[in-house]
Amino acid sequence: MKKFLSAAMSAIIACASIFSCTLTAFAEDAETEDVTIDCSSAEAASNWTQSLTIEQGDFNATRLTKDSKIVVTFNSEDVNEKSGNKYSAELIFQSWENTTTSVAQDGAVWAKIAPVEFDETTATYDFESIATAYGTDDFSQVYKIMVGATDRAKITVTGVKITNCKTKTYAEKEEKDSKGTNPIIIVIAVIAGIAIAVVVIVIIMNKKSSEAFDVSTGKFVDKKNLFDESKNDEDEKK
């Protein structure tokens, strides 16, 4: 019995190890890259108007990772030093018919994000700031990303670089997998099944080890009871 229990525990530990390796494999599968956005359509903007609009078809925000940063470069002119804003460019995540964030108003979201780093020609926005302003890190319903001007200066976007993005191929695969059965759930179910089977076998073996077959009745009976009956029979014979 001890050998069996030892083997059972080894099996459970092995399953746990496989599960851990599986999770690691899924975590390491993500492929990332930096993405450069075409800014040829950028226009001069000032006083809360937009210089550049990035459509969902040109860049899907679901490709962002927790390590992503959006780095915007721009030309600025007519700087108003008396403006209440210290930065000249703001980022905007727009959505409509939105069901994923509590900041939506009648389904519409106009999330304005302030840069975490900036100077007169550059502004950097990180994932955390974007998710906080948007109300969630589920960007599946972001339809437009825009770079706009504050009231501090007139700007014209010259470049947008988005770092540490999921590759387009990986993002498409991830979306496809999310619509099917999650492989991690399958692994958990298999391991749970094995663990339950081991427990059941242990219970049965424990039960059988405490029983003996009674030839007179043709049934398994508790060894203790069988021993007591045998002892009583011997006493009666005496």
Side-chain angles (χ1 to χ4, degrees):
M1 175 55 68
K2 289 183 178 179
K3 290 183 178 180
F4 176 78
L5 289 175
S6 177
M9 288 303 298
S10 297
I12 293 175
I13 292 172
C15 289
S17 298
I18 293 171
F19 178 59
S20 176
C21 292
T22 302
L23 289 180
T24 302
F26 281 115
E28 292 177 350
D29 273 347
E31 301 170 356
T32 60
E33 63 182 358
D34 293 346
V35 176
T36 300
I37 302 297
D38 179 10
C39 298
S40 58
S41 62
E43 301 176 346
S46 60
N47 292 316
W48 314 110
T49 58
Q50 287 70 57
S51 174
L52 178 71
T53 297
I54 305 168
E55 301 287 347
Q56 188 182 51
D58 296 323
F59 180 80
N60 193 316
T62 57
R63 293 178 62 188
L64 294 173
T65 68
K66 294 186 184 301
D67 296 321
S68 293
K69 291 184 178 181
I70 299 179
V71 183
V72 179
T73 55
F74 52 89
N75 294 326
S76 61
E77 53 185 317
D78 301 335
V79 177
N80 178 11
E81 298 291 354
K82 295 181 180 180
S83 168
N85 288 290
K86 295 181 179 180
Y87 54 90
S88 301
E90 64 177 2
L91 192 67
I92 300 166
F93 271 40
Q94 185 182 16
S95 178
W96 50 89
E97 298 180 350
N98 193 291
T99 59
T100 62
T101 171
S102 59
V103 303
Q105 296 182 354
D106 296 326
V109 181
W110 184 270
K112 303 175 75 170
I113 303 110
V116 291
E117 298 176 9
F118 60 89
D119 55 31
E120 293 299 334
T121 59
T122 307
T124 301
Y125 310 84
D126 64 6
F127 182 91
E128 184 178 356
S129 298
I130 295 169
T132 298
Y134 187 67
T136 178
D137 59 4
D138 179 356
F139 301 129
S140 58
Q141 293 179 326
V142 173
Y143 302 124
K144 289 185 179 182
I145 299 174
M146 291 170 278
V147 181
T150 65
D151 59 353
R152 186 174 184 276
K154 179 187 289 185
I155 68 167
T156 303
V157 174
T158 57
V160 175
K161 182 178 181 180
I162 308 175
T163 67
N164 297 307
C165 300
K166 299 170 190 172
T167 62
K168 201 168 184 179
T169 302
Y170 179 81
E172 290 172 351
K173 178 180 178 297
E174 188 178 50
E175 182 180 2
K176 183 179 179 180
D177 289 344
S178 69
K179 294 178 181 178
T181 303
N182 191 325
I184 294 179
I185 294 177
I186 295 175
V187 173
I188 292 174
V190 170
I191 292 175
I194 293 173
I196 291 171
V198 169
V199 170
V200 170
I201 292 172
V202 169
I203 292 173
I204 292 173
M205 293 300 291
N206 279 333
K207 182 176 178 60
K208 292 300 181 184
S209 66
S210 64
E211 294 180 340
F213 186 74
D214 186 351
V215 179
S216 62
T217 62
K219 297 180 180 180
F220 281 97
V221 297
D222 190 281
K223 286 182 178 179
K224 183 179 178 181
N225 293 337
L226 186 61
F227 175 76
D228 290 341
E229 289 177 2
S230 298
K231 187 176 180 181
N232 291 335
D233 290 341
E234 290 178 1
D235 291 340
E236 288 177 1
K237 290 178 180 180
K238 291 178 181 180

